Amino acid sequence: MPGNDTAGLPSEAFFTPGTSSFTEFLAAHRPGLLPTARSLPDGVRMPPDRFPHGTTVLALTYRDGVLIAGDRRATMGNLIAQRDLEKVHPADDHTAVAFAGTVGLAVDMVRLYQVELTHFEKVEGTPMTLAGKATRLAAMIRQNLAQAMQGLAVVPLLAGYDLSAPGGGRGRGRIFGFDAAGGLYEKQDFYAEGSGSPYARGALKKLYRPGLTRREAALAALQALYDAADDDSATGGPDLNRRIFPVVCVITADGFERLPEPETGELSREMVEARTTRPDGPHALL
């Protein structure tokens, strides 16, 4: 860390007893490195077409754990800023975070969150609980409130496999949503975030059922993202010509896994082909 008089040796800050939070460590010793430190002047609000924004992301539980997915489009107003944005990232072995909102701030927040979890585990000697991970992410979002009020909001979606099930039973997948002020809400079965989320949640409400297989859950996620793209211009559907497909990841007792592109590509083609005869997608079972 800069500011050390002895070349090659860490500064005294590294040897000062304190919190196991890396974010709080930065706030105390190098606050300028925090993404929330770069606020706009008072009274300034950033127009939505000046920075890339990312949508839509979703998560749903299934038989073996939890699935989290996101489309690939980033927009600046009515322009497509990027067609292959990565919105879903592993946070640790059994947790993943996806984001909607201002891309630059979101990417920095995800990287900081990854370091936060690693730092905690190294200092405490044990991984943070899934509920603790959700609470820590909520605190990081709350630190960004000033920028969110100026139009630079980041709203993540957290999914993880909880190994510490009550009573020593089998673990389970869990989903946590947030608001721009850092409010934390655990969601049951499925949830979606971003501008296309109302349409994605509507599709999942129609398609979701307990005990889905991995393939069924992946198809339900792709169908929901397709419906979101069908009604929300900021959400991108599968681009078969450019071979750009949504990111689909699963988290089970074995850990985090991103579905290989050939698999998501095959499922996307199957879905698009089925939509040629049923443009509105599959019907719910009665």
Side-chain angles (χ1 to χ4, degrees), residues 134-213:
T135 302
R136 192 62 59 91
L137 182 55
M140 294 175 63
I141 299 168
R142 198 171 299 117
Q143 293 173 348
N144 192 55
L145 180 58
Q147 289 172 302
M149 298 297 290
Q150 293 175 313
L152 301 177
V154 176
V155 184
L157 181 62
L158 184 70
Y161 190 86
D162 194 347
L163 296 166
S164 56
R170 181 184 177 186
R172 62 189 177 96
R174 299 173 68 184
I175 302 168
F176 297 90
F178 307 84
D179 60 35
L184 170 61
Y185 315 94
E186 183 165 3
K187 305 297 182 179
Q188 299 298 320
D189 300 332
F190 59 85
Y191 192 64
E193 193 59 77
S195 64
S197 61
Y199 314 108
R201 286 199 296 268
L204 289 174
K205 184 180 294 186
K206 177 180 67 173
L207 299 173
Y208 180 84
R209 69 179 188 277
L212 292 169
T213 66

Side-chain angles (χ1 to χ4, degrees), residues 91-96 130 133 159-163 251-256:
D92 63 13
D93 290 342
H94 290 90
T95 317
L130 183 55
K133 295 172 189 177
Y161 190 86
D162 194 347
L163 296 166
I251 313 166
T252 66
D254 296 326
F256 173 92

Side-chain angles (χ1 to χ4, degrees), residues 28-270:
H29 299 285
R30 290 293 186 273
L33 296 179
L34 291 169
T36 53
R38 301 186 291 271
S39 57
L40 301 174
D42 291 342
V44 175
R45 181 173 176 83
M46 187 57 59
D49 59 348
R50 294 297 299 274
F51 292 106
H53 279 67
T55 58
T56 300
V57 294
L58 58 84
L60 66 150
T61 58
Y62 73 107
R63 184 179 61 190
D64 299 323
V66 62
L67 179 147
I68 186 168
D71 81 307
R72 308 291 297 275
R73 178 174 292 178
T75 58
M76 290 193 300
N78 64 325
L79 301 177
I80 297 176
Q82 188 172 345
R83 300 181 187 274
D84 58 352
L85 178 65
E86 299 278 342
K87 302 176 188 176
V88 183
H89 301 268
D92 63 13
D93 290 342
H94 290 90
T95 317
V97 60
F99 65 81
T102 307
V103 172
L105 287 175
V107 171
D108 281 352
M109 186 178 292
V110 169
R111 290 172 178 167
L112 181 60
Y113 184 61
Q114 292 168 333
V115 176
E116 178 84 4
L117 299 187
T118 301
H119 183 266
F120 179 93
E121 184 171 352
K122 290 184 179 298
V123 171
E124 299 293 337
T126 184
M128 194 181 299
T129 65
L130 183 55
K133 295 172 189 177
T135 302
R136 192 62 59 91
L137 182 55
M140 294 175 63
I141 299 168
R142 198 171 299 117
Q143 293 173 348
N144 192 55
L145 180 58
Q147 289 172 302
M149 298 297 290
Q150 293 175 313
L152 301 177
V154 176
V155 184
L157 181 62
L158 184 70
Y161 190 86
D162 194 347
L163 296 166
S164 56
R170 181 184 177 186
R172 62 189 177 96
R174 299 173 68 184
I175 302 168
F176 297 90
F178 307 84
D179 60 35
L184 170 61
Y185 315 94
E186 183 165 3
K187 305 297 182 179
Q188 299 298 320
D189 300 332
F190 59 85
Y191 192 64
E193 193 59 77
S195 64
S197 61
Y199 314 108
R201 286 199 296 268
L204 289 174
K205 184 180 294 186
K206 177 180 67 173
L207 299 173
Y208 180 84
R209 69 179 188 277
L212 292 169
T213 66
R214 174 173 128 155
R215 188 178 191 277
E216 290 170 339
L219 273 174
L222 291 172
Q223 294 279 9
L225 289 172
Y226 191 101
D227 280 350
D230 198 32
D231 288 298
D232 173 48
S233 62
T235 303
D239 191 333
L240 302 184
N241 293 329
R242 295 185 176 89
R243 297 185 57 81
I244 300 174
F245 308 109
V247 175
V248 181
C249 306
V250 294
I251 313 166
T252 66
D254 296 326
F256 173 92
E257 179 190 356
R258 174 170 172 163
L259 270 61
E261 186 171 298
E263 184 176 353
T264 55
E266 178 187 349
L267 292 174
S268 296
R269 291 187 183 90
E270 176 184 329

